[in-house]
Amino acid sequence: MPFVRIDALRTDPGRLDALGRAVHDALVETIGIPPDDRFQVLVGHDGIGSTLRYDDYLGVHRDSGIVYVAITLRSGRTPDQKRSLYRRIAELAQVYAGTEPRNVFVTLTENESVDWSLGHGTAQYSLSPETAGSPLADPPPHGPAAPFG
């Protein structure tokens, strides 16, 4: 169950949607996230009231087409899976939204099952014996030990 935040500079709702689809499709393809597991915050910055800052770093020249993608997910992916994810996000961002791969900045933050509450104030991925029988503590469809998210 990844949580995705995408911030883009001077963009319209159509481009934001395309970027959201690019990230989601890459997550499904590269690390096996279920297709209906989409939780995203898509934010467009106008460059006046809110903006994004960027520089050229590590030989990558960025411009006003910059897109920041922050993904929070449960730990357990290999370095190769992460590299595949980054590559696929950049590819699909170009195909779906016309964003140059050099302008796609991705960061992953990993955490543990107990760090998630999907509603009802319950840590559905990490049910304790006390909460397992609670009517508000139904396990997720893939089970508490599922590798998703």
Side-chain angles (χ1 to χ4, degrees), residues 22-113:
V23 172
H24 183 72
D25 288 355
L27 286 163
V28 171
E29 290 176 23
T30 63
I31 61 174
I33 298 301
D36 63 344
D37 189 351
R38 183 189 309 224
F39 295 90
Q40 300 180 335
V41 175
L42 309 175
V43 182
H45 298 269
D46 63 11
I48 299 167
S50 65
T51 195
L52 302 176
R53 299 283 185 232
Y54 55 88
D55 283 315
D56 294 350
Y57 182 66
L58 296 178
V60 180
H61 173 72
R62 295 166 192 85
D63 60 30
S64 62
I66 189 77
V67 173
Y68 289 107
V69 178
I71 303 171
T72 303
L73 70 169
R74 290 188 287 166
S75 61
R77 279 40 177 226
T78 67
D80 284 341
Q81 286 176 307
K82 292 175 185 181
R83 284 188 281 271
S84 293
L85 175 62
Y86 304 145
R87 187 172 34 258
R88 192 63 176 145
I89 289 172
E91 291 168 355
L92 292 177
Q94 184 171 32
V95 172
Y96 294 178
T99 301
E100 295 182 47
R102 66 185 170 87
N103 278 322
V104 180
F105 184 106
V106 181
T107 181
L108 294 181
T109 302
E110 295 180 310
N111 59 22
E112 300 304 319
S113 294

Side-chain angles (χ1 to χ4, degrees), residues 1-2 72-77 109-119 121-128 131 138-140 142-149:
M1 135 86 65
T72 303
L73 70 169
R74 290 188 287 166
S75 61
R77 279 40 177 226
T109 302
E110 295 180 310
N111 59 22
E112 300 304 319
S113 294
V114 73
D115 297 319
W116 294 87
S117 175
L118 311 180
T122 303
Q124 287 88 349
Y125 288 135
S126 181
L127 297 176
S128 69
T131 60
D138 294 331
H142 303 289
F148 308 112

Side-chain angles (χ1 to χ4, degrees), residues 9 17 136:
L9 188 58
D17 182 62
L136 298 180

